[in-house]
Amino acid sequence: MGAKTLAAVMLVIAAGVVGGLYLLSAPHPVNASSLPQHVPDPANGEVMYNAGGCISCHKPAAGQGEGDATLPSGGVPFNTPAGTFYPPNITPDRETGIGAWSDANFVNAVQHGISPHGTHYIPAFPYSSYGRMRVEDVLDLKAYLFSLPAVKGKRRPPEVMLGSVGEAVMRRATGLWKLLRGDARRIVHHADESAPWNRGAYLVDAPGHCGECHTPRNFLMIPIASEKFQGGPHPEGKGKGKVPSLIDLVGRKRYKDADDLANALQFGETFGYDKLSSGGMGAVQTNLSKLPEGDIKAIATYLVGLTGSRQ
Amino acid sequence: MSNRRVLTVASGLMAVTLATSAVLAASPIEDRQAAMKAVGKAMGELAKIAKKEKKFDAATVKADAQTIHDKLGTAKGLFPEGSDKGHKTRALAAIWKDRSTFDAALERAEKASLAMTEVTSEDQFMPAMNKLGGACKNCHDKFRKPEE
């Protein structure tokens, strides 16, 4: 075989690999016909909205003119080691928000990380956790968002390496990341545990997406299942401290019991609990304080039960 | 003893004293941690009333609020440039990068604690506590690392 032939063969193989990866990374959105028949309940959607902490990332940037800070019109920068992202407007504005989205568009975005244009969302958006939600809860969330006033927002592309080319490559490569990560598993009901424990498990693992920061990730940025909730590096990078472990909170004397933790989640520093107001957790606590009391207690019940034996 | 010798001994003693006090006061980190600990303790007493574990009493509320106000007042001077290292600290570099926001956050807490010293009745207590707790949280969330 001559050098030229060899080069040609190598080129064909390389093209094959790139083409194969390209095909493998294709998004697979769900069809409208696969969605359940459901009459949406915006009140439950509001619970999902607060449990999911949507406002924390989708809030307007400070001083962004018309932005009402309580509405998720987007724009505040989210700094990560991979770049700076600007979470979009999720108010029902038809041009700059999600007002023109169908139910299927919304479910694909929130649960599968696929935009209405058929591209992958960067997983700074925690759709891996939201993928564990009941579809009905996601449709309720959409109904709640659609009940909010529509705000005109500004779209801002992320600041990543190599600009728009880097962004396109990163988005497509996210398809491969999704394959390696595996599909989000729905929350299993544990018959031997109480109703609050099961509710807490759902709120923590699905909408609450606690594991996105409290579970360490491997070098491919995939959460390590065997180290669930053992704490990890701060998502905004070095110099920000570490995200604490959620394992054995009572044994390690962080909280006296489930009621103590529930009080901390509900009232925070107003009740003298200062542990939940560092590293961004303050905003999470504000969101959680808006949940019905029963849900806050359910979260606390599940969390104090994380002692390492069953996580 | 000659005058010269007295002078030598005296200046020697003074040098030792200065060196000792310099070591004792060398760490604004430890000083501010002690101040914050005192704030936390007084806040814990107020929290007992908020949680209804203790009855509202205007005099003790005033005393605890005064402690918080005084300690926050001293804390202001305990975050000099460069005091993000040298001792274990949860202070974030953002304090020195965004000094004006930090100063404003500390001032907000000082004001909220001052307002708490002026609480005279039970129905004024919870609104004041919400403001004070909110001010503590506002600063901690932006400028303090999580506990390890």
Side-chain angles (χ1 to χ4, degrees), chain A residues 25 68 74 119 127 136 150 209 228 283 292:
Chain A
S25 61
D68 172 344
T119 53
Y127 50 78
E136 290 82 356
H209 67 280
K228 191 174 170 187

Side-chain angles (χ1 to χ4, degrees), chain B residues 3 10 25 29-30 37 39 47 49-50 62 64 66-67 75 77 87-90 99-100 106 109 113 126 128 138:
Chain B
N3 275 349
I29 299 181
E30 282 167 283
K37 211 163 197 173
V39 169
I49 300 170
K62 193 178 175 64
D64 287 326
Q66 194 64 51
T67 303
H87 191 275
K88 206 173 168 191
T89 175
R90 288 167 68 195
R99 188 73 204 209
S100 58
L106 198 50
S113 61
M126 270 325 285
N138 168 57

